């Protein structure tokens, strides 16, 4: 660790200068030799570094979003070359190059702050060994060696011997208890941050190497912090615990306000946005407009949560515009009113369908359906009695092909008939 820290000695002077400036401020409040003055100086150094890294964090989020958009293409490559891992890796690298993305972009903040981390380690190690470094002179060195954080000296380590800890004015038990608690908190905060990213802010519908990388980091980083933490001075543990807590809070803010499309966090965010938009009848700020605009532009490529959001707005009489605004939609209101009117008129009487004719009626061709009042014109009078069965009944219509014909079909004269004369024998 000392060899690695010496490689970043060029940044030791700026880091020590920043710590001394913060120590001057906090020393005037809590006393120059207290652990509060030196501990808060390290915490302030972390906050200053992370504020400077915010643009890099924004770039990391954009790169992560770009990786999310490439997931369908990555899945196609996996299916196409599932039996050829080398060709699969080549096609993946080609896709990264064409899209301008980098799968290691999630590690950028850690890589960017590593020089400050090793420079701080170099400064605190110099305090532990009694060497002046950077702008820390003999007076500041003596003050830092007297500073204790919850009973543990600023430069003490978990693996230090009892004689070395005694030289710093502390007991080995206090040092190991404090450092063990800080290492556990440091590893737990790192694990929770990565797990929160995997469970809430990742589209789990598509399995890609990017997701496998994130899952690996979720378990690897906490183990690395636990292993290397036993060799970190207390001051470095304060630095790293503070930066982990900052990262966790920053990640929670991003998940809550700018979630990944298709994730559980997006479903929760769109549900909150739907309530706000329907309550106020419009998008309230620039960020909400940007979210709505991105959903509208997608068109048919919207995911399940985005379609549910747009359909919900339409049902309430609102319409999302391409500029991200939300306006009252007359067509949606009319459709909604029509749906309500249709529900009230569901019990209205339906138009009566004509009575279906029997097979005999369809074959005769001249009969009418029951209930019709009009009759077909005829030149002859019917000689059927008044109590004859109605037309269309089986008795009134003879079936074709049975050898019998009606009177009209046989050509027999209608009207009263003359009786036949008796036959002569």
């Amino acid at each position: 660790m000392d060899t690695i820290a010496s490689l970043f000695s060029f940044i030791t002077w700026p880091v020590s200068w920043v710590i001394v400036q913060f120590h001057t401020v906090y020393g005037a409040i809590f006393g120059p030799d207290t652990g509060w003055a030196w501990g808060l100086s390290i915490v302030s150094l972390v906050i200053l570094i992370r504020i400077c890294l915010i643009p890099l964090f924004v770039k990391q989020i954009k790169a992560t979003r770009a990786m999310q958009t490439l997931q369908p293409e990555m899945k196609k490559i996996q299916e196409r070359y599932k039996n050829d891992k080398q060709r699969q890796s080549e096609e993946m690298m080609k896709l990264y190059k064409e899209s301008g993305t980098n799968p290691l972009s999630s590690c950028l903040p850690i890589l960017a702050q590593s020089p400050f981390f090793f420079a701080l380690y170099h400064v605190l190690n110099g305090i532990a060994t009694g060497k002046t470094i950077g702008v820390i002179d003999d007076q500041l060195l003596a003050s830092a060696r007297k500073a204790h954080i919850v009973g543990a000296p600023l430069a003490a380590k978990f693996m230090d011997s009892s004689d070395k800890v005694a030289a710093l004015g502390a007991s080995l038990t206090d040092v190991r208890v404090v450092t063990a608690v800080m290492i556990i908190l440091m590893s737990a905060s790192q694990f929770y941050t990565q797990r929160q990213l995997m469970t809430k802010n990742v589209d789990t519908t598509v399995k890609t190497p990017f997701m496998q990388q994130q899952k690996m980091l979720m378990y690897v980083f906490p183990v690395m912090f636990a292993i290397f933490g036993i060799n970190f001075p207390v001051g470095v543990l304060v630095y790293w615990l503070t930066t982990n807590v900052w990262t966790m809070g920053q990640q929670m803010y991003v998940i809550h306000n700018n979630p990944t499309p298709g994730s559980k966090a997006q479903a929760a965010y769109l549900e909150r946005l739907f309530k706000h938009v329907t309550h106020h009848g419009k998008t309230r700020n620039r960020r909400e407009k940007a979210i709505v605009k991105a959903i509208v532009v997608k068109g048919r490529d919207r995911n399940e949560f985005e379609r549910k959001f747009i359909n919900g707005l339409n049902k309430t009489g609102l319409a999302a515009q391409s500029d991200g605004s939300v306006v009252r939609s007359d067509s949606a209101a009319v459709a909604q009113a029509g749906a309500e009117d249709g529900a009230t008129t569901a019990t209205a009487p339906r138009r009566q369908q004509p009575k279906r004719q029997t097979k005999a009626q369809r074959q005769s061709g001249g009969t009418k359906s029951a209930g019709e009042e009009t009759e077909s014109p005829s030149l002859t009078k019917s000689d059927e009695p008044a109590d004859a069965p109605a037309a269309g009944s089986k008795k009134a219509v003879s079936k074709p092909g049975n050898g019998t014909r009606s009177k009209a079909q046989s050509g027999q004269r209608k009207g009263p008939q003359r009786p036949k004369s008796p036959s002569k024998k």
Side-chain angles (χ1 to χ4, degrees):
M1 185 66 68
D2 295 337
T3 304
I4 299 175
S6 62
L7 297 176
F8 297 94
S9 59
F10 64 92
I11 203 173
T12 300
W13 193 93
V15 169
S16 61
W17 183 85
V18 172
I19 292 178
V20 168
Q21 301 307 311
F22 282 122
H23 176 263
T24 303
V25 176
Y26 294 121
I29 301 173
F30 302 102
D33 300 335
T34 60
W36 284 102
W38 286 100
L40 290 176
S41 299
I42 296 174
V43 172
S44 301
L45 173 67
V46 174
I47 296 175
L48 179 62
I49 292 174
R50 296 310 300 266
I51 290 175
C52 295
L53 292 178
I54 286 178
L56 185 61
F57 181 74
V58 174
K59 186 177 180 181
Q60 174 197 5
I61 293 177
K62 292 181 179 180
T64 304
R65 294 289 190 271
M67 290 294 297
Q68 293 288 338
T69 59
L70 292 179
Q71 286 187 357
E73 297 297 329
M74 295 165 69
K75 185 178 180 181
K76 292 179 181 178
I77 293 175
Q78 284 181 325
E79 294 176 351
R80 187 179 303 173
Y81 305 105
K82 59 183 178 180
N83 297 324
D84 190 352
K85 298 298 181 181
Q86 182 177 359
R87 182 65 183 278
Q88 185 181 120
S89 301
E90 293 175 357
E91 293 296 327
M92 287 289 186
M93 296 303 297
K94 184 179 178 180
L95 179 63
Y96 295 150
K97 185 176 180 181
E98 291 176 352
S99 60
T101 57
N102 187 356
L104 298 177
S105 57
S106 60
C107 302
L108 286 178
I110 297 176
L111 296 176
Q113 65 177 327
S114 58
F116 300 95
F117 166 76
F118 287 111
L120 178 63
Y121 179 86
H122 196 45
V123 171
L124 294 175
N125 190 58
I127 294 174
T129 56
K131 296 179 181 179
T132 58
I133 186 170
V135 298
I136 297 179
D137 53 15
D138 294 333
Q139 183 180 359
L140 292 172
L141 179 62
S143 174
R145 289 177 66 86
K146 294 178 183 178
H148 289 65
I149 297 178
V150 199
L154 196 68
K157 305 175 186 177
F158 182 87
M159 299 300 294
D160 284 345
S161 61
S162 57
D163 296 336
K164 190 173 182 179
V165 173
L168 296 173
S171 66
L172 184 61
T173 303
D174 292 340
V175 171
R176 291 192 173 180
V177 170
V178 171
T179 53
V181 171
M182 296 181 71
I183 290 171
I184 292 173
L185 292 176
M186 183 176 62
S187 301
S189 59
Q190 177 66 33
F191 177 79
Y192 179 78
T193 300
Q194 200 66 26
R195 186 177 183 275
Q196 183 180 230
L197 179 65
M198 288 295 300
T199 56
K200 295 183 179 180
N201 206 37
V202 172
D203 187 0
T204 57
T205 59
V206 182
K207 304 295 182 181
T208 62
F210 174 73
M211 292 181 59
Q212 297 298 327
Q213 172 200 356
Q214 295 294 324
K215 188 175 181 179
M216 180 185 65
L217 294 178
M218 181 174 65
Y219 295 100
V220 170
F221 275 170
V223 174
M224 289 177 59
F225 282 127
I227 294 174
F228 292 110
I230 60 177
N231 293 315
F232 289 164
V234 173
V236 175
L237 292 178
V238 172
Y239 172 91
W240 209 248
L241 178 60
T242 305
T243 194
N244 281 358
V245 173
W246 176 283
T247 303
M248 183 173 61
Q250 190 172 248
Q251 188 69 49
M252 292 176 64
Y253 176 82
V254 172
I255 291 175
H256 187 270
N257 295 284
N258 190 18
T260 300
S263 62
K264 294 180 180 179
Q266 189 195 29
Y269 175 79
L270 291 180
E271 186 176 354
R272 296 193 304 269
L273 180 61
F274 175 77
K275 292 180 180 179
H276 295 161
V277 171
T278 53
H279 177 71
H280 297 281
K282 61 179 181 179
T283 50
R284 298 175 298 172
N285 50 48
R286 195 182 310 175
R287 178 172 53 82
E288 290 184 353
K289 286 186 177 181
I291 295 293
V292 174
K293 180 179 179 180
I295 295 175
V296 173
V297 169
K298 285 185 178 181
R300 295 183 178 181
D301 295 332
R302 302 186 188 109
N303 57 46
E304 177 185 357
F305 309 126
E306 294 167 346
R307 287 194 296 268
K308 183 179 179 180
F309 174 75
I310 295 297
N311 293 337
L313 291 179
N314 293 336
K315 290 180 180 179
T316 57
L318 299 173
Q321 305 299 308
S322 58
D323 60 349
S325 60
V326 175
V327 298
R328 179 66 60 178
S329 174
D330 295 336
S331 59
V334 171
Q336 184 181 10
E340 295 176 354
D341 293 342
T344 57
T345 58
T347 58
R350 296 182 179 180
R351 185 174 63 88
Q352 189 175 2
Q353 298 293 332
K355 203 169 186 179
R356 185 177 180 181
Q357 295 180 342
T358 62
K359 183 177 180 181
Q361 289 174 336
R362 290 195 300 271
Q363 289 177 349
S364 63
T367 58
K368 292 285 184 178
S369 61
E372 291 182 351
E373 296 179 357
T374 59
E375 296 178 357
S376 58
S378 177
L379 297 177
T380 61
K381 294 183 179 179
S382 174
D383 58 347
E384 294 178 358
D387 57 350
S393 62
K394 292 183 180 179
K395 294 181 180 180
V397 180
S398 60
K399 296 182 180 180
N402 57 0
T404 60
R405 294 185 300 173
S406 63
K407 293 181 180 181
Q409 290 175 339
S410 61
Q412 187 176 1
R413 183 178 178 183
K414 296 181 180 294
Q417 303 291 328
R418 292 179 59 187
K420 293 182 179 181
S421 58
S423 57
K424 296 180 180 181
K425 296 182 180 179

